[in-house]
Amino acid sequence: MSEKNLVKIKHPTAAAVCSGLELEGEALQLLKDDTAPADFLSQLIEKELYPDAVRFLAGALPKREATWWACLSARKGLNENSPLTDTQAIQMAEAWVYKPTDENRTKALAAAEATRLKTSAGWAAMAAFWSGGNISPIEGTVVPPADELSGKAVVGAVMLAAVQNGPEHVKSNYQCFLKQGIDIAAGGDGRAVQ
């Protein structure tokens, strides 16, 4: 993975991405002041520090691309037994990705709440809602979301999606989702990665 390939990551160093992230000890030991984001991500994946790699990539990607990644991950976990609320949550999050309007962002909140935030789909929709705008439920009061909230919701979506098909699939799910996220970071749409 080359630094030039990850065109969507605008941070000059991995340390610039990690300042607000909650990484585990081994991941922090790998972090050097001048490490390029692509190099740090490669190291995390090579050492199979998948949760840290997810946290890093969710923090490095722009909110719209990160939310799209959450949607792809959540969609992989859908099956014939999935509740309709999950499908709707992903659809609302995707609607915001396709057209990032305040109306679509607000609809994503209602869809996320319908899942009771117990599924990856619900967290994908929260990532869209927390992407910006006003999150206050009080009319006339404007409260912007903290900058890191959307990324944290993406982390929740990807991590829940990784574990929802049973422990025997966790590693392969993480590997697949990280490949999708890297493809998105490189300017792709992540769909071709399976």
Side-chain angles (χ1 to χ4, degrees):
M1 179 181 348
S2 160
E3 177 181 352
K4 292 179 178 108
N5 291 342
L6 302 184
V7 296
K8 295 291 183 172
I9 297 178
K10 303 301 183 193
H11 303 278
T13 64
V17 176
C18 293
S19 63
L21 302 181
E22 299 168 6
L23 300 178
E24 300 296 323
E26 191 174 350
L28 289 173
Q29 289 174 355
L30 296 172
L31 186 62
K32 307 292 182 238
D33 287 342
D34 60 347
T35 305
D39 293 338
F40 184 62
L41 183 58
S42 290
Q43 291 172 21
L44 293 173
I45 293 170
E46 182 181 309
K47 296 206 174 277
E48 297 186 6
L49 301 174
Y50 300 130
D52 286 314
V54 168
R55 287 182 194 101
F56 178 76
L57 193 51
L61 285 169
K63 292 176 184 173
R64 191 168 169 214
E65 286 81 353
T67 300
W68 175 247
W69 181 36
C71 291
L72 290 177
S73 300
R75 248 192 208 290
K76 188 171 192 287
L78 292 180
N79 59 47
E80 64 278 353
N81 297 323
S82 296
L84 182 59
T85 54
D86 282 0
T87 303
Q88 291 170 334
I90 294 171
Q91 289 171 344
M92 291 298 101
E94 289 172 344
W96 176 82
V97 169
Y98 296 139
K99 189 175 180 184
T101 64
D102 202 51
E103 179 183 357
N104 284 341
R105 190 184 62 77
T106 304
K107 287 179 181 178
L109 172 63
E113 289 174 338
T115 70
R116 297 175 38 207
L117 296 173
K118 293 185 179 224
T119 64
S120 58
W123 284 106
M126 279 309 293
F129 178 68
W130 282 339
S131 65
N134 181 16
I135 62 171
S136 175
I138 302 168
E139 188 72 31
T141 302
V142 177
V143 177
D147 194 48
E148 71 277 1
L149 279 180
S150 184
K152 288 185 178 202
V154 170
V155 170
V158 175
M159 287 190 179
L160 278 172
V163 301
Q164 71 188 46
N165 292 327
E168 67 277 8
H169 299 289
V170 172
K171 182 177 179 178
S172 63
N173 283 341
Y174 270 128
Q175 291 169 340
C176 174
F177 298 155
L178 285 164
K179 286 178 186 172
Q180 288 176 324
I182 290 166
D183 185 60
I184 293 167
D189 69 5
R191 290 180 178 168
V193 178
Q194 293 301 323

